[in-house]
Amino acid sequence: MTSGPDSTAHLLLDWYDRHARDMPWRTSPKARAAGVRPDPYRVWLSEIMLQQTTVAAVKAYFERFVALWPTVEALAAAPEEDVMKAWAGLGYYSRARNLKACADTVARDHGGQFPDILDGLRALPGIGDYTAAAVAAIAFDLPAAVVDGNVERVFTRLFAIETPLPKAKPEIKAQVAAMLPPTRPGDFAQACMDLGATICTPRRPSCILCPLREHCAVIARGLDAERFPVKAAKGEKPVRRGAAYVLERSDGAILLERRPPSGLLGAMTQVPTTDWTSRRDGDTTTAASPDPSIAWRNAGAITHVFTHFELRLTIFHGQAPHTREPGPGRWWSRPHEIAGEALPSVMKKAIACALPEAFAEETK
């Protein structure tokens, strides 16, 4: 291989100019060349949404958010409950709470303008090193090394990095920083991401189509590209158990409550459930139900996989009279309202287990 960082970056940018993916939050290379600047709000919003989530899943959520709240000031002015409802189903709900806190801070302390320096971005709620680098590079063209999962895959293959992840992260970031071009660092970051998403894929990478194939150490050494990045062995996820109670009123309304503001699924909506956590099991009987005197029916069970554990919930279904009061901190959600509640996926599964038609309108 007779390549240097400058020539490799040049090849990648040339490829990106021809093959950049069309994203609702992205300013195309052609538009950028014509002087159109990316909107930092849209860049930041997309990066928060894309954390541990696929592009396909994010597109509809992104478009809904910018339709409801086209600016960071609009998002800051929105009630937190509305933001959580719009986020429901996207997962990793601490991101939504941090999203609102960050919007509040930018609107209140920065006049609605995102800081254009790395340290200023890092100081905002919910923005870590990766997101700060991504916003700095893409929105402000600052020379920041942006390393997500796609970039890790590209660079571990490009340099045949044998160190397992996550230990290899500093080495990968150093290689990305060394290759950063003096101009267009934002396009370079997005080019690396696109290459990993479309060519240098986890399985069956299209090496023959790769613009960097002549510079790739894995190809030069005849190694199996799918072996990279090397990952440390993972232990099995613990299994936690609990119960959830779908109490249905005679008019079809379902009893709901809001979870505590912090912790797992913080501030999201749920049906009453037992006190399971990622570290302990909860009751799996009707003893902890909202009303043990009700004739609860065992409706089955669901399994939901979180990042650090697997949850298995026994689902009970009960019928309540129309006159029943919901009780403190709870409310009745009628059939036409349930789809608009801030229900995470695990709670939608629980309700659907007891009432299969509850979310029929969403799937039409």
Side-chain angles (χ1 to χ4, degrees):
M1 292 185 297
T2 57
S3 67
D6 290 347
S7 62
T8 306
H10 180 74
L11 285 170
L12 185 58
L13 286 169
D14 280 351
W15 173 84
Y16 179 69
D17 287 342
R18 298 190 303 273
H19 301 288
R21 292 180 292 173
D22 183 21
M23 307 286 197
W25 49 81
R26 179 179 284 180
T27 303
S28 70
K30 185 175 181 180
R32 292 191 70 152
V36 178
R37 302 299 303 165
D39 180 353
Y41 170 65
R42 295 170 74 92
V43 174
W44 162 75
L45 179 60
S46 68
E47 288 297 336
I48 299 297
M49 287 186 166
L50 286 164
Q51 291 170 15
Q52 299 174 296
T53 310
T54 65
V55 167
V58 163
K59 283 184 177 180
Y61 281 89
F62 177 86
E63 290 171 339
R64 186 182 312 142
F65 261 73
V66 295
L68 289 169
W69 307 296
T71 65
V72 71
E73 293 98 332
L75 182 58
E80 184 178 82
E81 183 178 352
D82 290 352
V83 176
M84 300 304 287
K85 286 181 178 180
W87 190 276
L90 197 53
Y92 301 96
Y93 294 98
S94 62
R95 293 181 299 165
R97 298 193 298 275
N98 287 330
L99 187 84
K100 182 66 168 68
C102 185
D104 292 347
T105 300
V106 172
R108 182 186 65 244
D109 299 341
H110 299 277
Q113 302 296 315
F114 280 84
D116 59 359
I117 57 173
L118 270 171
D119 286 347
L121 290 165
R122 285 195 198 98
L124 295 173
I127 294 189
D129 287 343
Y130 166 76
T131 305
V135 175
I138 298 169
F140 300 113
D141 259 338
L142 297 178
V146 182
V147 183
D148 69 354
N150 283 318
V151 179
E152 287 177 345
R153 188 165 56 256
V154 168
F155 274 77
T156 54
R157 292 173 179 177
L158 190 60
F159 294 96
I161 296 174
E162 297 277 0
T163 309
L165 287 172
K167 194 174 181 180
K169 287 180 179 289
E171 184 178 354
I172 296 167
K173 189 169 185 178
Q175 293 287 7
V176 175
M179 195 181 290
L180 273 176
T183 59
R184 302 181 66 190
D187 284 347
F188 176 78
Q190 293 175 116
C192 291
M193 296 174 187
D194 281 13
L195 188 71
T198 63
I199 300 292
C200 197
T201 51
R203 299 286 175 263
R204 297 185 178 181
S206 303
C207 298
I208 193 67
L209 301 177
C210 181
L212 307 183
R213 60 174 287 106
E214 298 298 327
H215 303 257
C216 182
V218 160
I219 292 177
R221 299 176 193 175
L223 302 175
D224 178 8
E226 291 189 15
R227 188 165 65 82
F228 296 85
V230 179
K231 295 182 180 178
K234 289 184 178 179
E236 288 190 14
K237 291 186 178 183
V239 175
R240 298 290 177 247
R241 291 173 172 81
Y245 309 98
V246 181
L247 186 58
E248 183 184 14
R249 204 167 58 179
S250 56
D251 63 348
I254 297 171
L255 186 67
L256 298 178
E257 63 186 19
R258 187 160 290 110
R259 289 180 63 84
S262 60
L264 184 69
L265 305 178
M268 298 301 290
T269 298
Q270 65 174 14
V271 295
T273 184
T274 53
D275 60 349
W276 51 267
T277 71
S278 62
R279 295 181 175 85
R280 67 170 185 267
D281 292 339
D283 196 335
T284 59
T285 72
T286 59
S289 72
D291 186 347
S293 69
I294 286 177
W296 291 98
R297 173 181 68 88
N298 188 323
I302 65 164
T303 297
H304 189 81
V305 179
F306 290 95
T307 304
H308 301 299
F309 72 105
E310 178 181 303
L311 176 65
R312 298 177 186 175
L313 286 180
T314 302
I315 309 302
F316 293 98
H317 174 237
Q319 297 280 355
H322 188 76
T323 55
R324 180 189 170 105
E325 292 296 322
R330 291 172 172 164
W331 67 94
W332 292 104
S333 184
R334 290 174 291 181
H336 69 278
E337 299 169 332
I338 194 72
E341 300 284 1
L343 291 160
S345 297
V346 63
M347 290 301 151
K348 288 185 177 182
K349 286 183 184 179
I351 294 171
C353 181
L355 302 168
E357 298 301 313
F359 299 101
E361 290 296 321
E362 287 191 3
T363 59
K364 286 184 179 179

